[in-house]
Amino acid sequence: MRRFYQDNRRVPLGIILVTVCLFLYHFALDRPPWVSSAAYTTQTPYQAGEATVVVHPSSPFNAEDENTSTPQRPAPSAVVSSASSTSHASDTTTTTSSSSSLTVNDIVLMFKTGASVLWKRVPIHLTTTLAPTRIPPANVLLYSDSPETIGAWTFIDVLANTTINDPEIALPYRQQADHDFRQNYAEINNVYPGDNSGPAGGWKLDKYKFLPLVQHAGRARPDAKWYIFMEDDAYLFLPNLLAHLGRFDHQQPWYLGSVAWIHGDYFAHGGSGFAISRKAWEMAFGDEKVNIEEKYAAFTAQHGCGDHILGHVIKESGVGFGEHPEAEESRFSYGFNPEAHWTSWYEQENWCKPVFSWHHTHNRDVARLYELEMRWGDVQARGPIRYRDVYEAMVQPYLRERMEWWENGAAKYDIRSSNVKAVTVPDTVTKPQAWTEAWMSVDHCEAACVAWGECVQWSFYEDRCMLDSMIRLGSGIPEGDSRRQSSLPWTSGWLTRRVEHWNSACNDL
């Protein structure tokens, strides 16, 4: 009996030992190359008084140097040699082509983030925006104001070799490494979470990134046809954008995006994303004898937005903004959006048009927009994702006939008890009395919307009725929010059946 128990103790022990050996053997054989120690390099500690806070040995950045050192790692990185062509993507990479055969191998994606938000915003993009089945890693350049490594991805400190004349603005940059060293693990009583933001001042610092960023991308990838820019709180429908850019000759100067205007300069709004053709880059940044940063140092110091500064430089080079740069009234075009899908308007004018980007996206938004893009499939075969499609997938499921504690942003007509006599009643209103009584109650406001054939949404607060012919999701005040204790409720409603006839216009495209 004793021998029986001894043998039975040996059997499980033997099984465990065999299992461990097989696991170690399998791990040694199948271990992917990017987890080898060569993929991770050390950082040079911060030296007081130096312009560069942290320099990552695998990704030195020099705005005046065409060549970018190749990271010492077996897997492809976001930072590769300028001698590398953008056309050598893996055969397993899914590419999106347009009628002109523009693919992800023809473009460079310039992705900008910052030390204060990197750990909150970037991780979701690593499995969506930057998924290797969506775009080859060799066609991506990641820029920040502090070097960082996440797996096989290396973030370039785009300010490492630039000069910031304003000491107050430069201070947060110089303090980043020391701030991170002192605070990263000071988590007693949850006072300072590990993934904390960096020193305050990132917004002022951000404007210095744009010129060296775009200059570096063009020199590091001279064979690219287009340079596409996006920020970490945005989402780009890349297949849609490729199909759109395929309509334009990259050998001509093109600078496309969402129109913005400051100090007489038309430029592409940075948060919406934008695209610069190779020819436009050459005209603005191609002269190696010109130090762009130094030439526009005074202009940069005097203005607050990096996208405006970049647009000014491009304008000075002779490149106009927009799809019709010669026509002032035609610079605006739908596609690149400065707002998120839930704060933007959907209307007849944009209903059937392709959508290229959303700004101010939450991490959940990025994941869901990516899922929509993956479900959609081949843009060339099926056509582009349009505003209508985003509405149906991301907005319509949340709409109700009436919702309390919700403000949908209706604004075309604002009818109040104090201005009702001065409000013009549209000719298409079937019951003018309903219009003049709209301010009286929620029911009266809804009735006014019903009486106006073009109305698709309304909102009411106290004695204020707002009506609109464009539809918008807006946002609400959740239960438990203190605002519910200090104000009357906003009430919103939608007449969603009225947008169905907009679809007929899409059938002709």
Side-chain angles (χ1 to χ4, degrees), residues 106-264:
D106 300 315
I107 62 100
V108 167
L109 181 63
M110 305 176 292
F111 183 96
K112 180 177 73 66
T113 185
S116 63
V117 295
L118 186 150
W119 293 107
K120 296 179 180 179
R121 296 180 179 176
V122 172
I124 187 64
H125 288 286
L126 301 182
T127 56
T128 55
T129 300
L130 306 178
T133 53
R134 189 173 188 260
I135 183 171
N139 294 74
V140 178
L141 290 169
L142 305 177
Y143 297 100
S144 182
D145 48 25
S146 179
E148 192 56 74
T149 299
I150 303 178
W153 295 105
T154 296
F155 293 77
I156 301 171
D157 181 357
V158 75
L159 300 177
N161 291 287
T162 60
T163 300
I164 302 175
N165 296 324
D166 189 331
E168 181 181 351
I169 295 177
L171 184 61
Y173 176 68
R174 293 197 301 268
Q175 289 180 333
Q176 281 179 120
D178 184 62
H179 182 277
D180 184 65
F181 175 77
R182 293 176 182 274
Q183 305 295 342
N184 201 35
Y185 297 104
E187 300 180 15
I188 298 177
N189 296 325
N190 202 31
V191 173
Y192 233 115
D195 294 340
N196 61 294
S197 302
W203 171 250
K204 291 183 177 181
L205 190 66
D206 189 73
K207 69 177 181 178
Y208 289 94
K209 299 177 188 175
F210 282 78
L211 292 185
L213 183 157
V214 175
Q215 178 174 272
H216 173 267
R219 291 182 175 180
R221 300 294 194 281
D223 297 329
K225 296 179 180 179
W226 288 90
Y227 301 92
I228 300 173
F229 173 90
M230 72 170 292
E231 298 195 347
D232 56 13
D233 63 341
Y235 186 82
L236 288 180
F237 282 108
L238 195 57
N240 271 17
L241 185 54
L242 289 175
H244 182 66
L245 295 180
R247 300 168 49 218
F248 301 87
D249 183 0
H250 71 279
Q251 296 178 332
Q252 297 297 321
W254 292 106
Y255 173 39
L256 308 176
S258 175
V259 64
W261 187 85
I262 295 179
H263 287 283

Side-chain angles (χ1 to χ4, degrees), residues 18 26 37 100 178 196 258 315 359 370 377 404 425-426 429 439 489:
V18 171
H26 176 77
S37 59
S100 65
D178 184 62
N196 61 294
S258 175
K315 173 187 175 182
H359 187 213
Y370 173 75
E404 259 196 1
V425 181
V429 172
W439 60 272

